[in-house]
Amino acid sequence: MIKNPKVIVDLTHLTHNAKQVIGTCHDLGIDVAGVVKGATGAVGVARAFVNGGANQIASSRVEQLEAIKAAGFKEETMLLRVPMLSEIPDVVRWADITLNSELTVIEAQEEEAARQHRIQKIILMADMGDLREGYWDKDEMAEVALKIEKEMPHLQLIGVGTNLGCYGSVAATPEKLNELIDVAHKVEAKIGRKLQYISGGATSSYMRIMDGNLPKEINHLRIGEGILLARDFEVFYGYKNTGLYQDTFVLQAEIIEVKEKPSHPVGELAVDAFGHKPTYVDKGMRKKALLAIGKVDYGDTAELIPLEPGLEVLGASSDHTILDITECPRDLKVGDVVKFTINYATIVYLTNTENVQLEYIWDDELMSND
């Protein structure tokens, strides 16, 4: 039995999400890289993506791609983060496809691929205004593409791509994606052939599919959150009734103390364990519970959404979470567990800590027939 705290992953619901999202993309001729970095590359999560039809498995961490390969996956792996020079041998060994924006790194990959007798596939990234990775100078980008094409026999340029909405919050509008298509045409004219992929972004670009206005030449997306949780569609963008499950990941934590205590700290106030000065509302004496999990495990208490009615998350320190359970209908006691739905950022934290384990659940019949 997996001990508390733990994250319960519903593979049936996750596979359903993958099949729906990826299947919709495939119907439009769009390949999908299933992004598993949000779950720290968990092999069970990667398997659900593959069962859902993912063309590649993608992560920003080389060690996660190594674990995917070691688990026997035959699908291509994609490194989402521009490679570090110091990790090039591992990049070439474990990543079949890389996203690139620096010629120095690309040249190092060519040299290493020659040493390993491998062919590595490259997608050149264009910065379309979100101001993270990618070429701002598109003439420079086209020249690098030509250099790969003519001078680097161990690298195969398969496409161009962009990232939108991750840093600069730039929306993946049809107009912005058409700009990327123009960049692709510029590169194709330079190298004298058609590219396999125009990779039009991540989950934020899937909304163009839901709206029916994704430019037709976009034929590749890199999707993680839209499958893992599918909460962004509704919470941030107002898309309801998507047919996607939002309960794929549930946090379970155990109560270690139940006491009646004041609602306002008693004494001279300074700063908390993280150097902050929280504000407190005085509601008198309240029934409170402590959980054996804290900010080092999940990051932000605001990202915890209680499934228990009447339960309020008051705050947390490094290793404790404080709840107000006064209004909770259930008579909670030490040793009881409470559950929370969680957001994407919380999953990243929880799956990165050794203190929290994953427990997979699935319905055999649904997994085979869904």
Side-chain angles (χ1 to χ4, degrees):
M1 175 179 285
I2 297 175
K3 298 179 180 179
N4 297 314
K6 61 186 176 184
V7 172
I8 303 165
V9 185
D10 191 324
L11 292 180
T12 305
H13 288 182
L14 184 58
T15 303
H16 166 90
N17 286 0
K19 286 181 178 180
Q20 179 167 317
V21 170
I22 297 171
T24 300
C25 290
H26 284 176
D27 289 344
L28 297 172
I30 300 165
D31 284 356
V32 175
V35 178
V36 296
K37 65 173 183 171
T40 317
V43 170
V45 172
R47 182 61 62 195
F49 275 74
V50 168
N51 289 342
N55 300 90
Q56 298 102 20
I57 297 297
S59 178
S60 57
R61 310 285 172 158
V62 179
E63 60 271 19
Q64 293 177 18
L65 300 184
E66 179 181 358
I68 295 297
K69 290 283 192 182
F73 284 76
K74 303 303 181 185
E75 289 70 24
E76 289 184 317
T77 54
M78 174 182 288
L79 180 64
L80 295 174
R81 179 191 25 80
V82 174
M84 295 184 286
L85 277 173
S86 61
E87 65 180 353
I88 293 301
D90 286 337
V91 169
V92 172
R93 185 171 295 110
W94 303 116
D96 299 306
I97 305 169
T98 61
L99 310 185
N100 291 81
S101 62
E102 282 289 347
L103 179 57
T104 303
V105 174
I106 293 169
E107 290 172 335
Q109 285 177 249
E110 164 63 24
E111 293 177 7
E112 184 61 34
R115 289 190 195 98
Q116 294 189 25
H117 305 288
R118 289 175 55 84
I119 301 295
Q120 190 161 62
K121 297 178 180 180
I122 300 288
I123 293 177
L124 286 181
M125 296 297 283
D127 190 335
M128 307 307 298
D130 203 62
L131 304 182
R132 204 178 71 179
E133 80 278 26
Y135 286 93
W136 187 254
D137 185 332
K138 306 312 185 291
D139 290 328
E140 178 191 5
M141 181 176 175
E143 289 298 330
V144 171
L146 183 62
K147 192 175 184 68
I148 295 171
E149 187 79 2
K150 300 298 184 182
E151 301 177 22
M152 302 184 185
H154 298 89
L155 301 183
Q156 180 185 355
L157 180 63
I158 63 169
V160 300
T162 195
N163 176 75
L164 295 166
C166 281
Y167 169 70
S169 66
V170 173
T173 61
E175 295 75 18
K176 187 60 67 175
L177 293 172
N178 275 316
E179 291 178 25
L180 176 65
I181 292 170
D182 290 341
V183 172
H185 291 164
K186 185 182 189 74
V187 169
E188 288 173 338
K190 193 72 172 181
I191 65 176
R193 65 172 177 85
K194 190 172 180 63
L195 295 166
Q196 178 182 352
Y197 285 141
I198 303 178
S199 188
T203 294
S204 57
S205 296
Y206 184 75
M207 289 181 291
R208 301 285 66 79
I209 292 177
M210 292 193 287
D211 288 347
N213 60 2
L214 183 79
K216 292 186 182 300
E217 290 188 68
I218 300 296
N219 63 356
H220 186 271
L221 295 175
R222 310 176 305 275
I223 300 180
E225 195 283 336
I227 294 171
L228 289 171
L229 278 177
R231 287 181 57 81
D232 284 6
F233 296 137
E234 179 177 345
V235 174
F236 296 117
Y237 302 107
Y239 290 81
K240 299 182 183 297
N241 303 316
T242 61
L244 300 171
Y245 290 105
Q246 296 182 6
D247 62 350
T248 47
F249 291 78
V250 171
L251 171 63
Q252 176 174 300
E254 185 172 327
I255 294 174
I256 57 173
E257 177 187 291
V258 176
K259 294 279 192 296
E260 294 277 346
K261 292 189 180 183
S263 52
H264 194 284
V266 179
E268 182 179 342
L269 302 186
V271 296
D272 65 14
F274 293 87
H276 302 145
K277 293 184 177 181
T279 57
Y280 307 92
V281 178
D282 192 345
K283 297 181 180 179
M285 296 295 289
R286 305 288 287 182
K287 188 176 183 181
K288 295 185 179 183
L290 290 184
L291 299 179
I293 192 170
K295 287 185 177 180
V296 296
D297 300 304
Y298 56 72
D300 186 357
T301 55
E303 302 290 312
L304 301 182
I305 306 161
L307 290 174
E308 192 87 26
L311 187 153
E312 180 184 0
V313 181
L314 296 176
S317 60
S318 299
D319 306 297
H320 300 78
T321 300
I322 301 102
L323 310 177
D324 187 326
I325 61 173
T326 308
E327 309 298 331
C328 186
R330 184 158 66 110
D331 184 20
L332 292 172
K333 297 180 174 61
V334 171
D336 287 342
V337 297
V338 292
K339 296 180 179 181
F340 305 85
T341 56
I342 48 184
N343 290 328
Y344 182 78
T346 317
I347 294 175
V348 175
Y349 278 102
L350 288 167
T351 55
N352 260 299
T353 175
E354 294 181 358
N355 186 49
V356 180
Q357 299 179 67
L358 298 184
E359 180 178 294
Y360 295 107
I361 61 172
W362 62 88
D363 185 308
D364 290 332
E365 182 177 351
L366 289 177
M367 286 289 282
S368 60
N369 296 325
D370 187 15

